[in-house]
Amino acid sequence: MINFSKLDRPPAAENWVRMQHRGVDKTALKMFNFLRGGPIWNYNSSKVAVKSRIEHRIDLSTAQKIVTRSGSKLGRPYNLDVVNAFFDYEKENPIDGVQAFDDMYERFPLSRQVSIPIKPLTVVREGKSFVPYFLCPWSSVNLTDYQARLLFTIVEKSIFTLTDFEDSDGKFLFFPKVKNQFGHEERKPMVWSRGQFPLLSDKELAEQIKIYFGAKPIAKNLYIEFLKRKEEQSS
């Protein structure tokens, strides 16, 4: 029995939208690649370190120890880069506030059985507002304008419709690699805030959900064929 749980349980919103396109075929291909691939390391340790910095004000040395002593050894340099970049960012943009919620977790329904996890890194009370912070530590931000609009639409409907968040200024923090004046790559902050992208209309959102469900069986068939070819090549 082939395990399709990765498709039946979508990843977090910021990762789910990366697979979504306006056409069924392209969406199916991205979903197939998602099924076929699997990272050998992740950014979990840098997320833990940044979250601890915001909520508990740990210092840079402590944050660096978190990412250099946990997770895959292959991913540790990349996680360290994210932590250093965040601390540099926070020097000029301090996050002043008090942790408001413990591990906020919402879901955006695509159907009765399928929903997308919406999980901010942390939620901070800044003045009279609750501000959710999302951390996307990718080395490049390759979301299209449409995918960014889709992301903010989902977050708007799942979090910002809640009474406590109606006036909130939610933020997505990115630290992509860019070349400096010497031609060396270094991570630089990119911040997206609520209201920065126009939301999809209800009709556009419904159409994208329809595309997603139309692409699922195609992606599954592509994966079955891929496994068959792989088995034939090894026999």
Side-chain angles (χ1 to χ4, degrees):
M1 181 70 69
I2 301 174
N3 186 359
F4 290 113
S5 61
K6 287 178 69 174
L7 285 188
D8 297 328
R9 294 196 297 270
E14 59 270 25
N15 290 313
W16 182 79
V17 300
R18 298 170 81 179
M19 296 184 284
Q20 305 310 306
H21 295 271
R22 293 184 185 229
V24 171
D25 290 342
K26 190 170 184 179
T27 300
L29 182 58
K30 293 294 184 179
M31 293 167 68
F32 160 67
N33 289 335
F34 174 68
L35 264 177
R36 183 181 63 175
I40 56 178
W41 58 270
N42 56 48
Y43 284 107
N44 288 346
S45 62
S46 57
K47 288 184 176 181
V48 169
V50 171
K51 178 179 174 68
S52 297
R53 168 61 179 177
I54 295 173
E55 295 180 353
H56 306 298
R57 310 311 301 168
I58 65 171
D59 59 19
L60 176 59
S61 176
T62 303
Q64 291 173 333
K65 288 177 182 176
I66 291 174
V67 296
T68 55
R69 296 179 180 179
S70 61
S72 168
K73 289 184 178 179
L74 290 175
R76 290 177 185 178
Y78 305 99
N79 281 276
L80 181 60
D81 285 346
V82 172
V83 165
N84 290 336
F86 175 79
F87 272 78
D88 287 342
Y89 163 77
E90 203 195 17
K91 289 177 184 176
E92 303 295 329
N93 304 271
I95 299 177
D96 296 323
V98 179
Q99 177 189 357
F101 294 87
D102 289 329
D103 297 324
M104 183 179 186
Y105 186 91
E106 298 291 332
R107 302 193 74 89
F108 178 78
L110 299 174
S111 69
R112 290 184 179 181
Q113 294 80 29
V114 182
S115 60
I116 304 169
I118 314 291
K119 186 173 173 49
L121 180 72
T122 187
V123 178
V124 176
R125 180 164 191 146
E126 298 179 354
K128 295 182 179 180
S129 299
F130 295 109
V131 181
Y133 283 88
F134 296 82
L135 175 63
C136 302
W138 313 323
S139 60
S140 62
V141 182
N142 54 8
L143 294 179
T144 65
D145 183 74
Y146 175 76
Q147 290 171 328
R149 292 177 60 204
L150 176 60
L151 174 61
F152 274 88
T153 301
I154 291 171
V155 175
E156 185 76 26
K157 289 181 175 293
S158 60
I159 289 183
F160 295 123
T161 53
L162 301 175
T163 302
D164 289 335
F165 293 88
E166 290 177 348
D167 299 319
S168 173
D169 182 25
K171 297 181 184 297
F172 279 82
L173 305 179
F174 303 88
F175 295 94
K177 292 181 178 179
V178 297
K179 287 187 177 180
N180 59 25
Q181 59 182 330
F182 304 108
H184 300 137
E185 288 188 334
E186 57 184 12
R187 288 184 180 263
K188 292 295 184 180
M190 178 186 294
V191 181
W192 289 356
S193 300
R194 183 188 184 192
Q196 185 169 338
F197 295 91
L199 303 180
L200 298 182
S201 67
D202 289 344
K203 181 179 179 181
E204 288 175 313
L205 180 59
E207 178 61 26
Q208 188 58 51
I209 294 174
K210 182 179 178 181
I211 288 172
Y212 165 74
F213 282 108
K216 272 184 70 176
I218 299 175
K220 289 181 177 180
N221 286 334
L222 288 173
Y223 188 59
I224 291 171
E225 292 173 4
F226 165 74
L227 292 179
K228 286 182 179 178
R229 290 195 303 271
K230 192 174 180 180
E231 184 177 354
E232 289 172 358
Q233 292 171 358
S234 62
S235 62

